[in-house]
């Protein structure tokens, strides 16, 4: 019995109690949930339904809990129900009902863990959005791993998600990039405010291949060629790197399009209509202090140039007008100051910042080798890049390591740890379960052991303590996925997978799955093979949500 199935049984019991007592069914929820108690001695599942309904119907919670417990005790698969505290229901399943979870998981396959928790929500999720002036550095890689995992989690819980990369192809940084390429092409040092690193010379050489006449042009004309061609080459490389990392975006949005389509003027007009724009010292301002910002923000400078903040306003409005109810933006550790101004900007448009805009801040990442931080890339010259990280520990380990920790915590990624083929390497520990469960299946086939049909599955035989622990861990997966999505916390999933791996290893060590020698295949062997295969399903589903592979061999 899955937690969702048990929750339906609990709700059905509530309906029966309400009918018996003549209570108003309108007070009943459309659905309810059950949770795993923290203390396993308290039972398999717990329900707070009696506490939730007590005030609505004017019945003391323990009295209502007693009526629910009596009704639940009659339901098939329920071994016992106890009342605890002010009205908690602690529920124990019989072995057959508990073990049927393995069948449900195997039959559900990739669908197990998915839900409609966030159904109806349209979410725009923007992450990475690194400027096309250099390779993706390790901070951006963190958002690539976390953002992609979060998009998978949100979709798995029913949300309509659009992932987006904001491609900043306008502004002073792009001008500095173009000047740096031109200098490299001429064999000159990089400008004082320019970009260094071998990649600048590489891209400059590629531009010259495409436009052999570029250095015959005036500096201004040549710089424009390097700007256009260089940005295209750099961004193509960024996209290729992210694709190799397993990250593709639904939309790559060019900042330049906002300017070309007149969207900054449209955003300014909308903000004027809302009454929050004013003129001062020849510039156009947005009065964000009305909504908690520490100072008002310039939209257009006195010389007529638009500010970056004006583009932020236009981009936010564009997302909202595309039908996204919630705009989620992932920013680096140096962007804490953006939260106040962005929230105030949303309010200036007439939106509810708490509902329509969410900003997540990621902290710094260090790559560590031999106990010391790796300071810079051989190619980029100033930072550690995506390629450096992948070269050091691989794609799977990189994605798992970056998503394993809460994004608001700085992390050190130890090269020695994450390349070690031992149990203290978290990704190896989890992937080893995927490989071991597949190996058990191969070995089972060699000795003639198969799961058989569902009718051949004797769930009541799964009575060993370690079997029960593993079943409980498997049952928690859907609620972990839902919580990780709702709390924007993929690291909850990785911690769960490590706990599940531990439960499986204990089961494997204590419960013989395959018959020994000439031993006859029994129903218990088959039942344990169902449990083995259910574990592989959950491990594979969980790793897939993190963008990590579930290998069949290691």
């Amino acid at each position: 019995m899955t937690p969702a199935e048990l929750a339906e049984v609990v709700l059905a019991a509530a309906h029966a109690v309400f009918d018996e007592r003549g209570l108003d069914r309108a007070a009943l929820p459309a659905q309810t949930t059950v949770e795993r108690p923290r203390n396993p001695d308290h039972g398999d599942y717990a329900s707070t339904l009696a506490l939730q309904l007590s005030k609505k119907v004017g019945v003391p919670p323990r009295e209502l809990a007693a009526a629910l417990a009596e009704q639940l005790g009659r339901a098939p698969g329920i071994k016992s129900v106890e009342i605890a505290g002010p009205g908690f229901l602690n529920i124990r399943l019989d072995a057959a009902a508990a073990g049927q979870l393995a069948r449900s998981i195997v039959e559900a396959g990739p669908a197990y863990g998915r839900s409609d928790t966030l159904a109806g929500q349209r979410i725009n999720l923007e992450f990475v959005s690194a400027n096309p002036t250099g390779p993706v550095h390790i901070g951006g890689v963190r958002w690539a791993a976390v953002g992609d995992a979060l998009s998978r989690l949100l979709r798995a819980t029913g949300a309509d998600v659009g992932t987006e990369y904001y491609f900043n192809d306008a502004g002073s940084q792009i001008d500095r990039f173009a000047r740096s390429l031109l200098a490299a092409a001429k064999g000159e040092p990089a400008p004082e405010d320019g970009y260094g690193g071998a990649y600048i010379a590489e891209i400059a050489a590629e531009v010259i291949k495409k436009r052999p006449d570029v250095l015959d042009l005036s500096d201004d004309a040549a710089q424009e060629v390097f700007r256009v061609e260089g940005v295209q080459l750099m961004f193509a490389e960024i996209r290729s790197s992210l694709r190799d990392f397993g990250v593709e975006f639904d939309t790559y949005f060019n900042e330049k399009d906002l300017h070309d389509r007149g969207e900054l003027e449209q955003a300014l007009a909308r903000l004027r209509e809302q009454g929050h724009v004013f003129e001062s010292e020849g510039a156009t301002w947005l009065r964000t202090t009305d909504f908690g910002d520490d100072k008002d923000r310039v939209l257009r400078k006195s010389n007529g140039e638009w500010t970056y903040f004006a583009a932020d306003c236009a981009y936010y409005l564009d997302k909202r007008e595309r039908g996204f109810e919630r705009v989620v933006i992932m920013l680096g550790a140096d962007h804490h100051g953006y939260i106040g101004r962005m929230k105030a900007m949303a309010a200036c448009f007439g939106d509810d910042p708490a509902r329509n805009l969410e900003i997540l801040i990621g902290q710094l990442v260090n790559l560590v080798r031999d106990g010391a931080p790796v300071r810079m890339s051989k190619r980029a010259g100033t930072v550690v890049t995506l390629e450096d990280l992948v070269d050091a520990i691989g794609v799977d380990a990189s994605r798992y390591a970056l998503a394993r920790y809460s994004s608001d915590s700085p992390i050190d990624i130890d090269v020695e740890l994450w390349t070690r083929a031992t149990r203290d390497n978290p990704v190896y520990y989890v992937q080893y379960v995927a490989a071991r469960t597949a190996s058990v299946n191969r070995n089972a086939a060699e000795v003639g052991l198969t799961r058989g049909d569902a009718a051949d599955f004797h769930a009541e035989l799964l009575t060993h303590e370690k079997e029960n622990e593993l079943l409980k861990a498997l049952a928690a997966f859907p609620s972990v996925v839902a919580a990780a999505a709702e709390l924007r916390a993929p690291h909850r999933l990785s911690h769960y997978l490590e706990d599940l791996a531990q439960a499986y290893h204990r089961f494997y060590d204590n419960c013989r799955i395959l018959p020994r020698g000439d031993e006859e295949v029994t129903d218990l062997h088959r039942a344990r093979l169902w449990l083995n295969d259910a574990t592989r399903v959950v491990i594979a589903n969980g790793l897939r949500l993190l963008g990590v592979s579930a290998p069949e061999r290691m």
Side-chain angles (χ1 to χ4, degrees):
M1 185 182 298
T2 66
E5 291 168 343
L6 178 58
E8 290 178 6
V9 171
V10 171
L11 193 55
H15 276 269
V17 168
F18 272 47
D19 289 345
E20 287 176 358
R21 293 181 165 231
L23 300 174
D24 184 5
R25 274 196 175 203
L28 289 167
Q31 57 185 17
T32 188
T33 58
V34 293
E35 301 292 339
R36 286 289 187 184
R38 290 184 180 179
N39 185 344
D41 294 338
H42 293 167
D44 297 320
Y45 294 96
S47 170
T48 60
L49 187 60
L51 293 167
Q52 296 167 22
L53 296 174
S54 175
K55 285 186 179 180
K56 292 182 180 179
V57 296
V59 178
R62 282 189 67 89
E63 180 183 334
L64 190 56
L68 284 169
E70 183 180 354
Q71 189 68 38
L72 279 169
R74 302 172 193 153
I78 305 293
K79 181 179 180 180
S80 66
V81 185
E82 297 171 359
I83 304 166
F88 296 104
L89 292 171
N90 289 333
I91 305 167
R92 285 182 170 81
L93 304 180
D94 63 33
Q100 283 296 336
L101 176 67
R103 174 190 57 79
S104 298
I105 292 172
V106 172
E107 291 178 346
Y112 183 67
R114 302 183 74 87
S115 70
D116 295 326
T117 308
L118 301 181
Q121 293 193 24
R122 286 209 69 203
I123 300 173
N124 181 283
L125 180 62
E126 181 200 340
F127 56 100
V128 184
S129 294
N131 289 329
T133 55
V136 179
H137 63 76
I138 197 167
V141 182
R142 183 176 199 174
W143 275 141
V146 174
D148 189 60
L150 182 54
S151 73
R152 294 165 187 248
L153 285 163
L154 292 169
R155 287 171 174 144
T157 48
D160 179 2
V161 180
T163 58
E164 197 142 321
Y165 188 115
Y166 185 54
F167 175 30
N168 181 348
D169 54 352
S172 59
Q173 289 179 318
I174 302 299
D175 292 338
R176 299 205 317 265
F177 177 63
R179 290 199 304 272
S180 302
L181 293 175
L182 177 58
K186 291 181 170 183
E188 299 173 354
E192 189 174 335
D193 62 347
Y195 296 92
Y199 77 95
I200 290 291
E202 292 169 10
I203 292 173
E206 287 296 317
V207 173
I208 291 172
K209 279 185 186 178
K210 291 181 71 174
R211 288 288 305 272
D213 64 330
V214 64
L215 293 181
D216 297 330
L217 303 174
S218 68
D219 280 357
D220 287 346
Q223 184 175 313
E224 180 60 16
V225 170
F226 278 106
R227 188 190 71 77
V228 173
E229 299 291 348
V231 165
Q232 287 182 356
L233 287 166
M234 190 72 253
F235 193 59
E237 181 179 318
I238 290 171
R239 287 187 64 168
S240 176
S241 297
L242 289 170
R243 191 181 305 115
D244 292 344
F245 197 59
V247 179
E248 286 271 18
F249 291 86
D250 299 320
T251 301
Y252 294 89
F253 193 102
N254 284 20
E255 181 189 351
K256 190 172 181 292
D257 289 343
L258 293 172
H259 294 265
D260 294 345
R261 294 196 298 247
E263 292 194 41
L264 280 79
E265 286 86 353
Q266 294 167 25
L268 177 58
R270 180 74 64 86
L271 292 166
R272 280 194 196 279
E273 289 172 8
Q274 296 290 328
H276 302 297
V277 173
F278 67 98
E279 311 293 329
S280 178
E281 300 175 352
T284 304
W285 298 69
L286 184 64
R287 192 174 283 106
T288 52
T289 52
D290 286 349
F291 298 99
D293 195 8
D294 58 347
K295 62 182 180 180
D296 294 326
R297 304 290 169 176
V298 177
L299 294 170
R300 202 167 202 166
K301 301 175 186 177
S302 57
N303 63 4
E305 290 181 4
W306 294 101
T307 62
Y308 283 119
F309 183 65
D312 289 338
C313 294
Y315 186 35
Y316 172 80
L317 183 61
D318 182 276
K319 291 176 178 178
R320 293 284 287 119
E321 291 187 336
R322 280 186 272 147
F324 291 105
E325 176 192 9
R326 192 168 189 86
V327 173
V328 181
I329 306 172
M330 298 179 157
L331 298 173
D334 57 342
H335 286 74
H336 260 290
Y338 278 61
I339 297 176
R341 76 185 71 168
M342 294 293 285
K343 290 282 188 179
M345 173 265 291
C348 288
F349 276 119
D351 281 351
D352 177 358
R355 185 172 66 89
N356 300 119
L357 178 62
E358 184 176 345
I359 297 178
L360 306 177
I361 299 292
Q363 292 301 320
L364 299 175
V365 182
N366 289 311
L367 184 63
V368 177
R369 182 182 280 112
D370 298 328
V374 176
R375 292 296 181 191
M376 62 182 62
S377 165
K378 291 179 180 177
R379 180 166 181 259
T382 54
V383 294
V384 176
T385 67
L386 188 160
E387 286 78 7
D388 297 325
L389 180 62
V390 170
D391 287 347
I393 66 175
V395 171
D396 277 350
S398 297
R399 289 191 62 129
Y400 193 96
L402 290 163
R404 185 175 184 261
Y405 303 93
S406 173
S407 55
D408 58 8
S409 301
I411 55 174
D412 289 335
I413 296 179
D414 188 320
V415 172
E416 284 75 22
L417 170 66
W418 289 96
T419 53
R420 206 174 288 158
T422 58
R423 291 172 67 137
D424 57 346
N425 175 352
V427 71
Y428 178 87
Y429 187 57
V430 174
Q431 287 184 315
Y432 186 70
V433 172
R436 173 171 269 186
T437 53
S439 173
V440 166
N441 243 308
R442 291 192 297 272
N443 293 335
E446 290 177 3
V447 298
L449 170 61
T450 63
R451 287 198 314 263
D453 296 330
D456 302 321
F457 175 40
H458 291 272
E460 72 278 3
L461 298 177
L462 299 175
T463 58
H464 193 283
E465 177 189 4
K466 301 307 176 187
E467 293 165 344
N468 189 252
E469 287 179 6
L470 180 54
L471 284 164
K472 286 183 176 181
L474 294 170
F477 182 60
S479 62
V480 170
V481 172
E486 192 162 359
L487 299 174
R488 318 298 193 235
H491 65 279
R492 286 174 169 255
L493 178 55
S494 50
H495 293 169
Y496 162 80
L497 290 174
E498 290 162 38
D499 290 342
L500 175 59
Q502 188 176 49
Y504 176 79
H505 287 308
R506 286 196 294 258
F507 157 73
Y508 183 89
D509 292 341
N510 288 275
C511 302
R512 180 77 186 175
I513 302 173
L514 304 178
R516 287 191 177 93
D518 296 330
E519 184 182 355
E520 184 182 350
V521 172
T522 67
D523 288 337
L524 179 58
H525 293 128
R526 278 187 283 271
R528 286 176 172 169
L529 189 58
W530 277 89
L531 188 50
N532 174 83
D533 293 356
T535 304
R536 175 158 179 88
V537 168
V538 175
I539 287 286
N541 289 358
L543 287 172
R544 188 180 304 113
L545 289 171
L546 295 175
V548 177
S549 69
E552 294 195 358
R553 288 180 169 84
M554 288 183 72

